[in-house]
Amino acid sequence: MLNIYKTSNEGKIVEIKDIEENCWINISNPTFEELNLVSRQCKIPFEFLESPLDLEESARVEYDKETNCTLIINDFPIIDSSNQHFHSYITIPIGITLSSNYFITVCNQPSSLIENLIKKNINTTMKSRFALEILLAISTQYIDNLKQLNKQRLKIEKNLRDSLTNKQLYDLMEIEKSLVYFLTSLKANGDVLRKMFLTTSVKLYDADKELLEEVRIENTQGIETTELYTRILSSITGSYSSLISNELNNTMKTLTLFTVFLTLPTLVFSFFGMNVHLPIVAENPFSWVITLIIALLLIMWIGLVLWRRRIV
């Protein structure tokens, strides 16, 4: 899909039909023909438009001397559509290409990130500023999504205190997976921001440098928050793993004690039930009481021994 926007004389972003100078071309889930059209008409390297469509593409800054174009690839978070029962996240790349006359964004799928930028009425003629606004929006989205993940974690932790189920553990695994995606992508984005301070292909004015510093601070905050939540989650899962093991040990201990105490009367009754001469006369009406007393005394003796060893 190909959408073209441009800042009007009133300072608002409006959608236009044809590619013009100083316009913003937003490409999402495109066809080969659309990429080829933009590449030829805007004189943009085809690789700059194709690379961000690869979900495994790493964040980086690349400059092409022949066309005087700069490619910035950053990862941003989206909800994992494969998980229908829980809001977990993955990260996908977005490509930002800056040329002398055009500003181009490329992504594998439509995103609310772009829709929010359209509402902000950013000036499409200020390309460097526009790119920094996108990077700031990406960093801010990480912070917002981290807050959502933390709320879900607190809710799961509260439910775990009442009852422990496999679903809750699976949900914690989804949160942990999301945090891994976030941490990897945020660190890669941080490398891109450091390179942008040094590169000369992206012209930055004093106000742009201040905005870039703000983006860097937001990205650093995202990394620190993700690392903190990861440590907390690891501590929680470790504690509950120990709790599960302890409960299992207590259950096995209880079952073992029941087995011991139920086995002792069986041994006594089996012994006196054998067809051999025994010290108790079979015709004695109190023989069954004597047998029961022997079994109870044996149980009490074993129970006392276990209690002294602090097993019971």
Side-chain angles (χ1 to χ4, degrees):
M1 186 169 61
L2 190 66
N3 299 101
I4 307 170
Y5 304 94
K6 190 175 182 180
T7 303
S8 64
N9 296 330
E10 292 78 18
K12 295 182 178 181
I13 288 185
V14 294
E15 188 169 0
I16 58 178
K17 294 182 178 180
D18 300 321
I19 297 176
E20 301 177 5
E21 287 191 1
N22 294 322
C23 70
W24 167 27
I25 305 172
N26 180 46
I27 306 172
S28 58
N29 192 21
T31 62
F32 177 82
E33 290 74 15
E34 289 175 335
L35 293 179
N36 197 34
L37 172 66
V38 175
S39 178
R40 286 187 291 101
Q41 191 165 345
C42 301
K43 297 181 181 179
I44 304 293
F46 187 83
E47 293 77 14
F48 279 21
L49 304 177
E50 186 181 35
S51 295
L53 299 176
D54 183 4
L55 296 180
E56 303 299 327
E57 191 69 27
S58 58
R60 68 178 189 275
V61 179
E62 187 176 341
Y63 176 67
D64 183 71
K65 293 182 180 180
E66 295 182 2
T67 57
N68 192 28
C69 294
T70 302
L71 171 66
I72 303 171
I73 297 181
N74 250 27
D75 293 330
F76 72 99
I78 63 169
I79 294 177
D80 186 3
S81 58
S82 63
N83 192 344
Q84 302 294 333
H85 306 289
F86 188 81
H87 274 187
S88 59
Y89 297 89
I90 60 173
T91 57
I92 63 174
I94 181 172
I96 304 170
T97 301
L98 292 80
S99 70
S100 302
N101 300 316
Y102 305 100
F103 185 91
I104 304 171
T105 54
V106 183
C107 189
N108 184 270
Q109 63 187 56
S111 169
S112 59
L113 177 72
I114 299 299
E115 296 175 1
N116 294 333
L117 288 170
I118 296 173
K119 298 176 183 178
K120 292 182 68 175
N121 292 323
I122 298 174
N123 194 337
T124 56
T125 60
M126 302 173 64
K127 300 177 182 61
S128 299
R129 184 86 176 183
F130 194 180
L132 294 177
E133 290 286 353
I134 294 177
L135 298 181
L136 179 60
I138 291 174
S139 298
T140 303
Q141 186 166 334
Y142 274 110
I143 300 297
D144 294 338
N145 292 155
L146 282 168
K147 292 178 181 178
Q148 294 299 322
L149 284 174
N150 192 48
K151 288 181 181 179
Q152 293 183 90
R153 179 190 63 80
L154 292 174
K155 184 178 179 180
I156 294 172
E157 186 178 353
K158 182 180 179 181
N159 294 333
L160 280 173
R161 295 174 183 175
D162 300 328
S163 63
L164 185 63
T165 62
N166 288 336
K167 181 182 180 303
Q168 293 166 339
L169 295 178
Y170 286 138
D171 290 344
L172 287 177
M173 289 172 57
E174 289 295 328
I175 294 178
E176 188 172 13
K177 183 185 73 173
S178 300
L179 292 175
V180 171
Y181 273 111
F182 281 16
L183 187 58
T184 303
S185 297
L186 283 167
K187 288 184 176 180
N189 291 353
D191 294 336
V192 170
L193 296 175
R194 283 189 289 271
K195 290 179 181 178
M196 289 186 65
F197 274 107
L198 304 175
T199 185
T200 57
S201 60
V202 180
K203 295 182 180 179
L204 299 176
Y205 299 97
D206 291 338
D208 296 335
K209 291 181 179 179
E210 292 178 2
L211 182 57
L212 179 58
E213 179 63 23
E214 183 180 349
V215 177
R216 188 191 66 80
I217 292 173
E218 286 286 321
N219 190 82
T220 302
Q221 180 183 350
I223 293 175
E224 293 174 350
T225 304
T226 305
E227 290 178 340
L228 173 62
Y229 289 168
T230 301
R231 288 196 296 268
I232 292 174
L233 193 60
S234 298
S235 176
I236 291 174
T237 53
S239 298
Y240 277 101
S241 295
S242 300
L243 181 61
I244 292 172
S245 299
N246 187 50
E247 290 182 352
L248 179 61
N249 290 336
N250 289 336
T251 302
M252 296 303 298
K253 176 181 175 181
T254 302
L255 292 175
T256 303
L257 291 174
F258 271 114
T259 302
V260 170
F261 287 126
L262 291 175
T263 302
L264 293 175
T266 303
L267 291 175
V268 174
F269 299 148
S270 299
F271 177 75
F272 283 97
M274 291 187 298
N275 191 20
V276 295
H277 181 71
L278 296 173
I280 301 177
V281 181
E283 291 76 9
N284 189 342
F286 297 103
S287 59
W288 68 274
V289 178
I290 297 173
T291 305
L292 185 62
I293 292 174
I294 294 173
L296 290 176
L297 289 175
L298 188 59
I299 291 175
M300 293 175 61
W301 177 70
I302 293 297
L304 180 63
V305 172
L306 296 176
W307 177 74
R308 286 185 175 181
R309 296 187 178 183
R310 296 182 178 180
I311 297 177
V312 179

